[in-house]
Amino acid sequence: MTSHLSERVATRLPGVVTRSGMADVAAGLILCVIGLLVVPPIPLTIGQYVGYVLVVIGASLAVAFRRRVPRTALMILAVLLVVHLVVFDVPSVVAGLACLVAAYTTQTQLVPPWRWVFLAGAYAGGLAAMLRSTALSDDLQTRAFAVASVSVAISLAATLGMLRRQRRTRYDLAVERAAVLEGQLDTERRLAAFEERHRVAREMHDILGHSLNAIAAQAEGARYILTSDSARADRALKDIAHLSRTAVDDVRDVIDVLRTENEDVSPRPDPSLRELSDLINTLQTPGTIIKLQVDGDVDAVPSRVSLAAYRIAQESLTNAIQHGRSPITVRLTIEAGSLGMTVVNAATSSPAADGERRGHGLIGMQERARAYGGTFAAGRDAATGGWRVHVHLPWSRS
């Protein structure tokens, strides 16, 4: 999406070019009017007057097109000023103005070496006109003053052109920097959107994966005790209904956050290690025994770290129920500034379980641990032959 800054720049530049072209046309018309009204202060023949008018019109056209074709326009001005210098032995107002415009244009429209070549030509033409002029006395001091005055005027025009070029260069650099910054912002927005999609996908995986596996476990348990213990079977069915409604509500909360642009809208409070015992209760079935061992105060764990540990425990338990055997043990060790969690289940029912587990679940748990500077390890326990998941999550108290 294009930002407001780019839109302003994109709409401003064509307007600048149009105004500049109109200004050049206006300058050409003004030069033409001045040239026709202020003729050289000498008697002119008809041929000389016609030649003078052609010089004025040609110089005016060159000034009008000096930005579009600067080198061509300056070459035309140079030729016309040379013709003026040869035909008339006195300077004219139009010749002086054209020379100053040429000096200004060399600095605003040309690049080296043409910039300095044409500027040297402007100096040479102005000095030649002063030295050849019959309107000045032969006094050396008078001609030296005239030469110095022309040199200063040309230098001033060139300096103004140089300042204008530097200002335009700074403007172009500012526009370029703005474009680069906007590109960086666009990249950051894309990365943020990708990270948000990744986070939502991970949350959906955790919610649906846990809920569906828990429902499947409760359903299997209900089938197992349906004929022998109707009361426990009824509780299992109630747990299935509760898990289904909770999963639907959780998914709806995540989708509602994506649909709204209001940053204040948030889903229900994230789970933490305080809800770990409730999680284990929903997964307990007659065929699945889960033990929880806690060493330390779960309330001392920061909320974000607690959420990450809860999600890792949730995924680990889901995998253990799906691929492993009972009993399953969850051990929490909470120390100053760190949390250690180990989930161990009995020997797996099939050697293929190792390959089955190498999916998005392990990758998601590993990413959660790394996001907090922690470590994650999963594999067979050499002592028991079961599957072991261990995570260490540090945090700073500063």
Side-chain angles (χ1 to χ4, degrees), residues 283-305:
L283 297 175
Q284 295 275 17
T285 63
T288 303
I289 300 175
I290 304 175
K291 301 177 181 179
L292 176 61
Q293 301 174 2
V294 180
D295 182 10
D297 184 11
V298 295
D299 293 331
V301 182
S303 58
R304 296 183 64 84
V305 178

Side-chain angles (χ1 to χ4, degrees), residues 141-157:
Q141 185 177 0
T142 301
R143 289 191 178 271
F145 178 77
V147 168
S149 299
V150 169
S151 299
V152 170
I154 294 175
S155 299
L156 181 60

Side-chain angles (χ1 to χ4, degrees), residues 299-347:
D299 293 331
V301 182
S303 58
R304 296 183 64 84
V305 178
S306 185
L307 170 62
Y310 178 90
R311 291 303 190 193
I312 293 174
Q314 186 182 60
E315 180 68 21
S316 299
L317 290 172
T318 301
N319 288 342
I321 294 173
Q322 184 178 359
H323 301 294
R325 288 181 177 178
S326 181
I328 303 169
T329 303
V330 180
R331 288 192 294 268
L332 292 178
T333 303
I334 303 169
E335 300 175 347
S338 68
L339 163 69
M341 182 174 64
T342 304
V343 180
V344 181
N345 62 277

Side-chain angles (χ1 to χ4, degrees), residues 202 304-305 308 312 364-375 392-394:
R202 188 170 58 190
R304 296 183 64 84
V305 178
I312 293 174
M365 289 188 286
Q366 188 175 46
E367 288 180 352
R368 285 186 185 276
R370 289 181 176 177
Y372 294 94
T375 58
H392 178 263
L393 299 175

